[in-house]
Amino acid sequence: MTTTITSLTIEPLTREAFAPFGDVIQADDAARHFTINEGNTERYHDLAQIDPGEDGRAIVSIFRGLPRTLPFTITMMERHPKASQAFIPLSGRPYLVVVAQPASRPSVDDLRVFLCQGDQGVNYARGVWHHPLLGLEAVSDFLIIDRAGPGENCDIVQMDAPSIIPALG
Ligand SMILES: NC(=O)N[C@@H](O)C(=O)O
Ligand code: NI
């Protein structure tokens, strides 16, 4: 029996494309911004819907991720049913996110892959399927905003079929 392994398409991260999955956290002119501190500072305001859930508390952590090697095979996905989860790159390097709508169980055809630049963060909305951190090039730090609180907040699913993130062009 032959198994077809889908090669996934890598898209550039834009607010519009990522909107079904959450927020892009980026200090660009598309964000609401205004000058504060007597002209010294530009505030890029209210960039993400941080959602710690009804019984949770928003917490800030740092993930120090090893780089992934491409091509990379996606065999699992996870979601946080109680809260959002934000990743803000601190090391200035690109990374990848793989997401799917918060349906019951993602299939390969539901997967979207985005190449995020080192000045772009993402906030996964509550319940959005995503792959754990996919850092690139070198060990990289990410500021994480997610939830502490009662109950289990991580569903993991094995994909029905593997799919591959190809090497970058
Ligand atoms: N497990 C954990 O805290 N990290 C994952 O949620 C992830 O999305 O990387
Ligand atoms: Ni996660």
Side-chain angles (χ1 to χ4, degrees):
M1 182 185 99
T2 58
T3 303
T4 304
I5 298 184
T6 303
S7 180
L8 299 170
T9 301
I10 302 173
E11 307 172 56
L13 181 72
T14 67
R15 284 188 175 82
E16 297 74 22
F18 196 74
F21 309 104
D23 311 287
V24 172
I25 301 169
Q26 184 172 6
D28 62 3
D29 283 341
R32 181 181 167 204
H33 61 95
F34 45 90
T35 303
I36 59 173
N37 298 346
E38 298 169 339
N40 171 267
T41 306
E42 193 71 3
R43 179 178 174 131
Y44 290 80
H45 185 69
D46 193 9
L47 298 176
Q49 302 297 316
I50 304 302
D51 174 7
E54 295 68 31
D55 60 352
R57 176 172 65 87
I59 59 171
V60 175
S61 309
I62 287 178
F63 283 13
R64 180 160 291 166
L66 298 176
R68 305 284 190 166
T69 302
L70 299 181
F72 182 85
T73 304
I74 301 289
T75 60
M76 58 77 68
M77 295 283 278
E78 65 167 40
R79 67 180 173 187
H80 307 300
K82 293 181 182 288
S84 61
Q85 185 176 48
F87 288 75
I88 296 108
L90 299 176
S91 301
R93 292 188 193 92
Y95 61 107
L96 293 166
V97 300
V98 182
V99 287
Q101 288 282 17
S104 56
R105 182 186 180 88
S107 70
V108 169
D109 292 343
D110 298 322
L111 301 184
R112 297 278 295 277
V113 184
F114 294 99
L115 177 61
C116 310
Q117 298 305 316
D119 62 350
Q120 296 181 303
V122 293
N123 180 49
Y124 302 129
R126 179 192 301 211
V128 165
W129 290 105
H130 57 279
H131 192 280
L133 180 60
L134 293 165
L136 297 173
E137 297 179 355
V139 173
S140 300
D141 286 356
F142 292 78
L143 189 80
I144 310 301
I145 306 171
D146 57 9
R147 172 194 181 268
E152 181 54 44
N153 184 35
C154 188
D155 299 335
I156 291 175
V157 67
Q158 298 303 317
M159 297 297 291
D160 288 341
S163 55
I164 290 185
I165 303 176
L168 297 177

